[in-house]
Amino acid sequence: MIDETADGPHSGGDMDNDKRYTIGFDLGGTKMLSVVFDADYKVIAQEKARTPPDGDPAVILEAMDATVRKSLKTAGIAFDRVNCAGIGVPSPVDRAAGIVISTPNMGLFQYPMKKELEAKWGVPVFLENDTNAGTYGEFRRGAGKGKKHMAGIFVGTGIGAGIILDGKLYCGASGYAGEVGHLIIMEGGPLCGCGQYGCLEAFSSRTAMAKDAVALASAGNMPSVFKQAGSDFKLYKSKMFELGLKENDPNVRKIIERSAWHMGVGMANLVNILNPELIVLGGGLVDRIGMPYLETARASMQGHLMAGIAKSVTVVLSELKELAVPLGAACIAREETK
Ligand SMILES: [Zn+2]
């Protein structure tokens, strides 16, 4: 697949000077992923790295630059053959100005990332909110290919989503559309990280599930797969829930079912408002658990909708998984450059 010889597999032939490669980048809170795509969006190379935890924008930018250059080196491609780059960031973005509005964990506030990266790379750079990019990736090249009205919902430490209406990404009046994680599904329910009570994220995110697991730990009822995380909710990984389910641990199953059931309530609200033909479920946790999560969420959604409406929407798992964000960001960048 990937030839790491000095010349590389892409340096010969008539297309030598064509700028036909696109960078797709997923900047996450804990790790980052750079992918080099060819003209047909085939993956030529990809590199992962840890996101520096100290919240210094200059340090984060350096790490992004190094990861992108490493992926190009692996691909055997020089930067002058890249046509553009798309970056998915965990923040609302000002697309026109190329500004990351706010990622508290990374210390990026009103940060002009487009300008900074264009100065480093010499190619047009486009920013998009990560879950919007992931939804767009599924819409253009994944589970949503050929659809016009759809939503993508991604479950990880938080819950993010993207909405496609009439074949276009819907961003809202100020770019905040699609905050499905903060749909209030139980007024006065558990406290959410956003400061409100009863948000979907406070029930269904991996963080919420980890808090349930910590409650078991404090009652001396800890499933064995959670031993290494103990009472620190930050140490719970999607993989542990996957393992617990495989071992058929009844408490792990209960926690997963509770998350998926409430997800179905959120999905029903979304369907009532938008009438999408498709909902794609993805993100680290759902990618790990797969069909058991989807089936519970779908059954709950159907139970919370009128029969006719319930039949109008299909629910599927993400096809692109961790490539959804880089691929969607690359598609957006290339379409904007045209
Ligand atoms: Zn909230």
Side-chain angles (χ1 to χ4, degrees):
M1 288 262 300
I2 294 163
D3 185 344
E4 292 191 56
T5 54
D7 286 344
H10 306 285
S11 56
D14 298 336
M15 303 291 280
D16 240 11
N17 297 314
D18 280 4
K19 289 175 174 286
R20 59 191 167 125
Y21 297 98
T22 303
I23 304 287
F25 196 95
D26 181 3
L27 175 62
T30 54
K31 58 191 179 209
M32 51 178 77
L33 171 64
S34 172
V35 184
V36 182
F37 294 100
D38 74 1
D40 301 317
Y41 293 104
K42 198 172 123 228
V43 175
I44 304 301
Q46 51 181 307
E47 285 294 335
K48 245 184 218 173
R50 278 187 64 80
T51 302
D54 53 5
D56 178 343
V59 175
I60 288 167
L61 211 70
E62 280 306 317
M64 292 174 73
D65 182 48
T67 309
V68 165
R69 289 184 190 277
K70 209 168 158 198
S71 64
L72 283 169
K73 194 172 175 215
T74 307
I77 290 164
F79 230 122
D80 61 7
R81 303 192 62 202
V82 172
N83 46 29
C84 57
I87 317 287
V89 294
S91 160
V93 298
D94 179 335
R95 287 162 194 80
I99 286 171
V100 176
I101 293 173
S102 165
T103 59
N105 296 339
M106 280 182 224
L108 304 178
F109 294 98
Q110 297 292 333
Y111 183 65
M113 185 175 277
K114 175 184 168 77
K115 199 178 90 189
E116 297 284 342
L117 290 176
E118 286 181 344
K120 277 187 187 295
W121 298 342
V123 301
V125 172
F126 295 88
L127 308 183
E128 185 51 79
N129 165 264
D130 55 359
T131 51
N132 277 350
T135 303
Y136 201 72
E138 294 289 348
F139 164 64
R140 298 286 284 144
R141 322 278 310 178
K145 237 176 1 188
K147 303 292 182 196
K148 276 181 87 178
H149 307 283
M150 62 170 276
I153 305 179
F154 302 89
V155 185
T157 51
I159 290 177
I163 295 165
I164 307 283
L165 293 180
D166 220 5
K168 290 197 184 95
L169 195 58
Y170 180 73
C171 300
S174 11
Y176 291 95
E179 287 292 352
V180 172
H182 303 290
L183 280 172
I184 293 174
I185 58 165
M186 185 187 291
E187 201 186 359
L191 183 61
C192 179
C194 75
Q196 298 292 338
Y197 286 92
C199 297
L200 175 60
E201 188 167 293
F203 287 96
S204 297
S205 64
R206 196 183 63 219
T207 310
M209 294 165 71
K211 286 178 183 169
D212 280 0
V214 169
L216 287 174
S218 62
N221 205 4
M222 170 69 90
S224 60
V225 287
F226 293 155
K227 283 263 154 65
Q228 64 190 100
S231 58
D232 186 348
F233 74 92
K234 284 186 187 153
L235 296 181
Y236 282 81
K237 308 281 179 228
S238 298
K239 198 176 175 182
M240 295 178 192
F241 291 96
E242 181 193 17
L243 274 175
L245 192 65
K246 272 196 185 130
E247 290 173 8
N248 212 10
D249 185 296
N251 281 319
V252 177
R253 178 174 293 279
K254 202 190 288 179
I255 291 172
I256 292 170
E257 281 177 354
R258 177 174 149 89
S259 163
W261 183 257
H262 285 100
M263 174 57 71
V265 179
M267 284 157 56
N269 283 316
L270 199 64
V271 170
N272 276 327
I273 297 167
L274 296 176
N275 181 212
E277 58 199 306
L278 180 77
I279 294 176
V280 178
L281 282 180
L285 181 94
V286 177
D287 290 348
R288 284 274 178 190
I289 311 285
M291 285 312 285
Y293 194 97
L294 179 139
E295 281 163 5
T296 303
R298 179 168 49 202
S300 163
M301 179 197 79
Q302 288 167 342
H304 289 94
L305 285 170
M306 287 183 290
I309 296 176
K311 279 189 196 134
S312 71
V313 59
T314 308
V315 186
V316 297
L317 295 172
S318 159
E319 261 179 33
L320 301 173
K321 301 202 160 49
E322 71 173 2
L323 282 176
V325 175
L327 183 52
C331 287
I332 289 167
R334 211 182 280 177
E335 288 166 20
E336 291 286 330
T337 312
K338 265 181 190 167

